[in-house]
Amino acid sequence: MTTANALGGKFPLDAGLTVNRVGFGAMQLAGPGVFGPPADRDRALAVLRRAVELGIDHIDTSDFYGPWVVNELIAEALHPYESHLVLATKIGAYRDDKANWLPLNHPDALRSQVHDNLRRLQVDALDLVYLRDMGPQAGIAFADQVGALHELKEQGLIRNIGLSNVELDHFEEARSITTIASVQNLFNVVNRTSAALLHATTEAEVAFVPFFPLGSGFADSRARGDDALAAIADKHGATQAQVSLAWLLHHACNILLIPGTSSVAHLEENTAAGALVLDEDDTAKLDALVADGETLEEAH
Ligand SMILES: NC(=O)c1ccc[n+]([C@@H]2O[C@H](COP(=O)([O-])OP(=O)(O)OC[C@H]3O[C@@H](n4cnc5c(N)ncnc54)[C@H](OP(=O)(O)O)[C@@H]3O)[C@@H](O)[C@H]2O)c1
């Protein structure tokens, strides 16, 4: 399914669209709490430009981030886009003026969010659009939401459909309605609560894109108590962040990384994790940190 390179190899999202397994999550480029503009706009633009220079061809974003700020930064930094750059966005929610994340899942609202993303990212079609599953609080049948995305794909406005924050039953339901190219749920070395879903995507050869791949910066300190991450990092002359990311790449062949950062130094460090090879002893120790379905807190 994958071919080797320094960015963790390539993975096919669809028959004609392949991405490096190490990508970039742009959410951290907004202001504090993913709300408002960044403190340093030039630094945010520099991170995006450096990502593309490093060979990253998959950037994860959303109109929710800022809101709108991150999509505007991406267009400013990178438009006109390199032809192989995949921009993945999300719909199904909005931010109110107090920074809350609220559902916006009516099919009409989903359509207008797709058009908003097209306009803000300055593209004619979106490579990958995740439907954020807001569960029962959405108040709209999940099948109707997926059906709306399927229609947008038929119209050529969306190239691939993904699901975010989804449960296994909704993954299966969505696949009975349309082709699902990718699933984005929380998963990392210290949080395996989506392990069953990951397994289902691996079996289905659907991409799995863990959000918070670094535990949103917590993996380091939380896992330190166990020493496994620190010892393996020392052994390879790598950082704990790099080991956490490399573990994900080793864990399942359909995992694609979108580590988030607002710093060029961290971006370079995280991208280099694509070339870090862990041995069987390393992966066994890291596998044992947490059981499937658990987080580190539950395991200790
Ligand atoms: N679908 C969803 O519901 C959902 C939810 C959350 C996120 N996401 C997506 O997932 C992406 C990744 O999530 P995330 O950015 O929240 O979490 P993350 O990648 O797990 O961690 C990001 C945090 O770790 C820090 N960090 C990054 N690289 C580091 C390094 N090498 N050493 C030490 N600290 C480092 C960052 O701070 P610095 O800025 O200082 O580097 C930031 O605080 C987001 O960009 C977004 O696209 C999706």
Side-chain angles (χ1 to χ4, degrees), residues 106-241:
H106 188 280
D108 290 341
L110 296 175
R111 283 182 210 106
S112 82
Q113 288 169 74
V114 163
H115 285 280
D116 288 348
N117 275 276
L118 287 167
R119 196 179 63 254
R120 229 163 251 118
L121 290 169
Q122 299 177 34
V123 291
D124 296 329
L126 297 165
D127 298 315
L128 173 57
V129 176
Y130 290 95
L131 171 63
R132 196 191 193 291
D133 189 353
M134 300 297 279
Q137 66 164 319
I140 305 280
F142 186 65
D144 292 346
Q145 301 173 47
V146 176
L149 266 79
H150 179 71
E151 279 173 23
L152 289 157
K153 187 177 173 190
E154 301 265 283
Q155 291 162 13
L157 299 180
I158 294 179
R159 194 163 174 185
N160 286 285
I161 298 173
L163 302 171
S164 167
N165 297 77
V166 75
E167 301 282 343
L168 191 51
D169 59 338
H170 274 185
F171 172 59
E172 298 300 353
E173 185 180 350
R175 291 183 71 219
S176 71
I177 298 167
T178 192
T179 302
I180 298 301
S182 184
V183 166
Q184 185 172 134
N185 268 36
L186 199 167
F187 189 81
N188 58 52
V189 72
V190 296
N191 185 328
R192 317 265 176 92
T193 47
S194 284
L197 182 62
L198 167 60
H199 182 69
T201 60
T202 309
E203 291 288 301
E205 299 190 3
V206 166
F208 185 93
V209 181
F211 72 75
F212 297 157
L214 294 165
S216 207
F218 305 140
D220 206 58
S221 54
R222 284 156 87 198
R224 191 173 290 133
D226 203 292
D227 283 344
L229 263 180
I232 294 165
D234 287 350
K235 176 175 139 186
H236 290 280
T239 65
Q240 293 184 45

Side-chain angles (χ1 to χ4, degrees), residues 41-58:
R41 189 173 184 86
D42 287 342
R43 184 171 118 130
L45 295 169
V47 169
L48 286 161
R49 293 185 179 121
R50 184 69 182 133
V52 170
E53 270 172 22
L54 290 169
I56 283 173
D57 59 7
H58 171 205

Side-chain angles (χ1 to χ4, degrees), residues 24-28 43 60-62 64-65 90 101 130 132 164-165 184-185 188 209-218 220 239 241-242 245 258-263 265-267 269-270:
F24 171 62
M27 185 178 89
Q28 302 292 341
R43 184 171 118 130
D60 189 83
T61 183
S62 173
F64 319 150
Y65 304 157
K90 301 172 205 83
W101 304 73
Y130 290 95
R132 196 191 193 291
S164 167
N165 297 77
Q184 185 172 134
N185 268 36
N188 58 52
V209 181
F211 72 75
F212 297 157
L214 294 165
S216 207
F218 305 140
D220 206 58
T239 65
Q242 288 175 319
L245 295 173
I258 51 161
T261 180
S262 55
S263 126
H266 282 166
L267 170 76
E269 180 183 325
N270 298 342

